[in-house]
Amino acid sequence: MTRKTKLMLAFLAILALALTSCAKLQARDNLNKGVRAFTDAHYENAVNYFKQAMQLDPDLTVAEVYLGTAYSQMFIPNAQSEENQKNAEMAIATFQNVLRKDPNNTNAIAGLAYLYQNTGDLQKAHDYYMKNAELDSTNAVPFYAVGSVDWIMVYNKNNPLPEEEQAKLVEEGLLYLDKALAKNPEYEDAMSYKNLLYREKARLSKDEKEKAALIAQADEWFNKALETRKKLQEQKKAGGGVAATSDSK
């Protein structure tokens, strides 16, 4: 190899590195523009910026997570339009692609759980909430989410599950809500769902004394939820800290 050839190869290597660095900088710039558009609720603009960022730097996972989240924000639960359905499909496909590269990405997992719940696939929602709780074990919210979706599955009157499966979901839901409350003792929504699950457990019971005891437990959790909500509202008015309520899910 001649000296001239070596110099040319070195120059091309430096040029390639410079172009790569330039592309990554442009990708970051588009990411930042997308985040600003997302924060301002300009989701369609945000989608375009995040797509450009991904084209410039395919390894920029955060841009892809934001892209899926932007599609999720444009999705309206229960709206039947073709465009709305497409937004849900694009969000799901984007989050699934993130997980192919990063299987433990909790943002993508939580996003999929939300989307499956709101598109009616409760079993998939349940499974992703369970995975999210496993990976984000210090956060009360995914544990609460398991308990709440368990109640939705048990309460489903259109396609009721066998009573044995309902009973298992009730016990699982109560367990996960206890875990949520262990992490946040003032989690009012978790208390509310404990009330609801105890009522379902009472419905499934064949023993009248047990039914009465379970209803009493449900009433106790209902009252705890009301008391906690009142306490948190008073703290908010006084400028104090606010624990996890329905606004923090």
Side-chain angles (χ1 to χ4, degrees):
M1 185 182 295
T2 66
R3 183 171 180 275
K4 183 178 179 181
T5 302
K6 289 180 180 179
L7 288 172
M8 180 59 70
L9 289 174
F11 171 76
L12 290 174
I14 292 170
L15 180 61
L17 182 61
L19 290 173
T20 300
S21 298
C22 183
K24 287 183 180 293
L25 286 172
Q26 289 178 327
R28 282 284 173 183
D29 182 55
N30 278 289
L31 172 63
N32 291 334
K33 288 177 180 176
V35 170
R36 285 195 293 271
F38 182 92
T39 303
D40 292 337
H42 298 151
Y43 299 121
E44 290 185 9
N45 290 341
V47 163
N48 291 330
Y49 282 124
F50 295 140
K51 283 182 176 179
Q52 290 175 43
M54 289 167 56
Q55 288 171 356
L56 290 162
D57 184 359
D59 295 327
L60 193 58
T61 302
V62 65
E64 195 163 13
V65 172
Y66 262 115
L67 177 63
T69 308
Y71 280 126
S72 295
Q73 290 296 320
M74 292 193 290
F75 166 67
I76 303 170
N78 301 318
Q80 301 301 317
S81 71
E82 184 176 336
E83 181 182 1
N84 194 56
Q85 182 63 30
K86 183 179 178 182
N87 286 332
E89 291 171 357
M90 292 299 293
I92 288 170
T94 303
F95 285 137
Q96 286 177 336
N97 196 52
V98 170
L99 293 182
R100 277 191 282 273
K101 295 179 286 186
D102 181 9
N104 293 334
N105 189 297
T106 54
N107 289 318
I109 291 167
L112 283 169
Y114 164 82
L115 287 159
Y116 282 127
Q117 179 174 342
N118 286 284
T119 54
D121 196 333
L122 294 177
Q123 186 59 55
K124 282 187 178 179
H126 169 273
D127 294 345
Y128 277 106
Y129 281 134
M130 290 282 284
K131 187 172 183 180
N132 196 24
E134 178 186 346
L135 293 171
D136 195 6
S137 59
T138 61
N139 184 357
V141 175
F143 290 89
Y144 156 79
V146 172
S148 63
V149 83
D150 279 344
W151 176 80
I152 294 170
M153 293 172 76
V154 170
Y155 194 72
N156 186 348
K157 306 301 182 185
N158 294 325
N159 296 294
L161 296 170
E163 288 194 355
E164 184 178 348
E165 288 185 40
Q166 291 184 44
K168 288 179 180 178
L169 287 170
V170 166
E171 294 303 323
E172 177 186 84
L174 289 170
L175 174 64
Y176 273 75
L177 291 171
D178 280 340
K179 290 180 179 181
L181 287 164
K183 299 172 197 310
N184 181 358
E186 294 187 327
Y187 205 154
E188 175 242 322
D189 287 328
M191 297 176 191
S192 296
Y193 273 94
K194 283 205 72 170
N195 153 52
L196 294 172
L197 282 169
Y198 272 123
R199 293 186 192 283
E200 291 305 306
K201 188 171 182 177
R203 175 180 61 80
L204 293 168
S205 176
K206 309 301 181 185
D207 183 278
E208 291 303 319
K209 286 186 177 180
E210 184 183 41
K211 279 181 182 287
L214 290 167
I215 292 296
Q217 283 182 282
D219 289 341
E220 182 180 343
W221 282 105
F222 176 80
N223 291 328
K224 282 184 180 179
L226 287 180
E227 291 167 6
T228 302
R229 179 180 299 175
K230 182 179 178 181
K231 176 183 174 182
L232 294 174
Q233 287 173 343
E234 289 173 352
Q235 286 179 351
K236 189 174 183 179
K237 287 179 182 178
V242 180
T245 67
S246 57
D247 293 329
S248 64
K249 289 182 295 191

